[in-house]
Amino acid sequence: MKDRLLEIRDLTVSLKKKNSSIPIVKGIDMIIKRGEIAGLVGESGCGKSMTARSLMRIQPPSAIVDGSILWYEADGTSTDLTKLKEKELRKMCGPQIGMVFQEPMTSLNPMIRIGDQVAEALLIHKMAGSRREARDKVIRILKEVGIRDPELRYRSYPHELSGGMRQRVVIAMAMICEPKLLIADEPTTALDVTTEAQILKLIRQMCTTRNMSALVITHNMGVVSQLCDRVYVMYTGRILERAPVGEIFSKPLHPYTKGLLSSIPRIGSNPEYLTTIPGSIPETDQKTSGCEFCLRCSEDERRCFFEMPEETGYAEEHYVRCFAAQHRMEAENE
C-alpha cells in the first residue's frame, strides 16, 4: 500500500435529470502509484473530465457521486476524499492535488495579472509569509516552467501571452504549492506539435524532479506513448482496458483500444486514407444491458448486446473487459 498515492474504487457519477439520473462514470477502479504518470484515454464525451472533476469535487451541482476515492499517506494510512467536508478538501486542493484545466484561456482571469493569479494559491494556503515572498516564489516557478523574462511576465495579462505560454502559466498555477498529484485535463489542447512536445517534456520533467504523480487525461494516444507509464482506456464512462503503456501498445486486447491505436497517423502512410472507428459514441441517456461498444465493434458477438463482460486479467497488471478478447486468451492458453 505504501507505493500507492490515490486509489479509486467503484466510482460512479450520475447527473440528475427530472425524475431520473443519467450515469456518466460507471463503476471505475483506478490506482495511481507514487511517482507514476497514469493516462486516462478515450474519445470526447467518454467521461474522462467528469472523473477528474469528481476527484477534486468540482463536478456539476446535479451530480451524484458514489464509491470511494482513497488518498494514501506515506505511512500507508488512507483518507476517503468523498467523505471530507468542503473545508477539509480545500486544504488538500493545492498543497496535495493540483489541476491543469483543459482550456487555459478560460482558466485564467483576463482582468488579473499573471503573477497575482499564480500567487493566489500561496496566499490562500498561507504558504508564503508575505506578498514579497509569494512574488519571489511565483517568479521562480514561472522560470521553472520555461517562461522567459518571468519578472516581465509576472505583470502581464493573459491576452499578452501566446497559447503555449498561457498553458505554462496554468501548469505553474497547479505546481506553485508543490502538490503530490497533478491532474492534467487535455494539457496540449489547441497547441501546435512543437509546443505540445515542450509541454509534455515539461510535465515529465517536473514529475521526475519533484517525485510527483500525475493523471493525464487525453484522447491522443500519441500523448500517452510519450508521457504515461500506465494507461486506462475509457469508453462511455467505463474502463475497458488497463495496462502498463508498453503492454497496451505491444498487445492491445480490446477492439476499442486497437481502434484508437490504428487512428494514429504514421509517417509514410497515405494521408488521404486515415483509419477511423466507425459510428459514434451513444447518447448518455441511451441505456443498454450489454457492452456499449458493440454497435461499433468489428468483433462483436450476440451476447455482447445483452451482457456486460467482466474484467479479465491477461497478464500481470493487464486487464480487459471484452468477450472476444477473453476467447483469444483462452485459445492462447490451450
Side-chain angles (χ1 to χ4, degrees):
M1 290 289 185
K2 290 187 178 181
D3 64 334
R4 295 184 182 183
L5 181 65
L6 186 79
E7 181 178 4
I8 299 173
R9 295 181 182 174
D10 196 24
L11 179 67
T12 300
V13 183
S14 303
L15 296 180
K16 296 179 183 177
K17 184 178 180 182
K18 295 182 179 179
N19 299 324
S20 62
S21 61
I22 302 173
I24 305 298
V25 179
K26 305 169 184 176
I28 69 169
D29 297 313
M30 184 182 298
I31 294 175
I32 300 177
K33 298 181 180 180
R34 297 182 183 276
E36 178 182 70
I37 301 180
L40 183 59
V41 64
E43 295 170 277
S44 298
C46 283
K48 305 185 303 297
S49 294
M50 185 65 75
T51 300
R53 289 177 175 272
S54 298
L55 303 184
M56 302 282 284
R57 291 254 292 273
I58 53 175
Q59 68 274 4
S62 62
I64 305 170
V65 180
D66 292 312
S68 302
I69 302 172
L70 302 179
W71 178 267
Y72 287 91
E73 302 296 339
D75 60 2
T77 59
S78 63
T79 302
D80 190 345
L81 301 186
T82 64
K83 300 295 191 295
L84 293 180
K85 296 180 180 179
E86 185 175 349
K87 187 176 181 180
E88 295 172 323
L89 187 65
R90 282 185 178 182
K91 292 180 181 180
M92 293 194 65
C93 296
Q96 302 287 358
I97 307 174
M99 185 164 183
V100 177
F101 292 93
Q102 188 167 356
E103 175 50 59
M105 275 309 292
T106 59
S107 303
L108 298 172
N109 190 323
M111 305 298 292
I112 300 178
R113 298 181 190 274
I114 292 298
D116 293 332
Q117 296 191 58
V118 179
E120 183 179 15
L122 286 175
L123 299 174
I124 289 176
H125 294 287
K126 299 180 181 180
M127 300 181 70
S130 63
R131 287 192 172 273
R132 175 72 181 185
E133 183 182 349
R135 180 181 182 278
D136 292 342
K137 287 187 175 183
V138 170
I139 290 175
R140 195 179 307 126
I141 193 68
L142 290 178
K143 184 177 181 180
E144 191 174 347
V145 299
I147 293 180
R148 297 179 181 178
D149 300 323
E151 293 86 355
L152 174 64
R153 296 307 178 189
Y154 183 93
R155 297 188 54 78
S156 298
Y157 289 96
H159 72 271
E160 298 178 292
L161 276 60
S162 67
M165 291 180 70
R166 289 195 295 265
Q167 190 69 60
R168 291 173 188 270
V169 169
V170 172
I171 293 175
M173 291 174 65
M175 298 292 298
I176 190 67
C177 294
E178 301 185 10
K180 297 177 182 176
L181 174 65
L182 177 69
I183 301 174
D185 189 358
E186 299 283 5
T188 58
T189 297
L191 299 180
D192 60 79
V193 291
T194 301
T195 307
E196 175 184 294
Q198 294 171 351
I199 295 297
L200 296 179
K201 182 180 179 180
L202 171 63
I203 294 175
R204 166 61 75 177
Q205 178 182 335
M206 300 197 81
C207 285
T208 301
T209 57
R210 296 179 178 227
N211 192 30
M212 181 181 67
S213 304
L215 173 61
V216 178
I217 296 168
T218 181
H219 61 269
N220 188 337
M221 292 297 282
V223 169
V224 169
S225 67
Q226 295 180 59
L227 188 60
C228 300
D229 302 308
R230 185 178 306 279
V231 189
Y232 294 83
V233 180
M234 175 176 269
Y235 185 77
T236 61
R238 203 183 302 275
I239 301 297
L240 299 185
E241 187 170 0
R242 56 189 175 98
V245 66
E247 187 79 11
I248 282 283
F249 278 79
S250 64
K251 187 69 175 180
L253 298 177
H254 200 283
Y256 182 57
T257 308
K258 295 178 182 179
L260 292 175
L261 290 172
S262 63
S263 299
I264 302 175
R266 288 172 171 77
I267 296 175
S269 62
N270 189 342
E272 296 182 6
Y273 300 96
L274 296 177
T275 303
T276 61
I277 301 175
S280 57
I281 298 176
E283 297 293 332
T284 54
D285 57 354
Q286 182 177 334
K287 296 182 179 180
T288 176
S289 57
C291 175
E292 291 93 344
F293 189 65
C294 63
L295 295 176
R296 307 175 67 187
C297 184
S298 59
E299 302 180 41
D300 63 287
E301 303 176 7
R302 181 175 177 80
R303 64 189 297 196
C304 297
F305 292 84
F306 309 102
E307 184 181 349
M308 175 60 65
E310 296 292 331
E311 189 176 66
T312 305
Y314 171 74
E316 185 178 2
E317 298 186 313
H318 191 170
Y319 297 87
V320 64
R321 189 186 293 272
C322 176
F323 289 127
Q326 292 173 12
H327 293 161
R328 289 197 302 272
M329 287 186 276
E330 291 170 359
E332 290 179 5
N333 294 329
E334 288 180 356

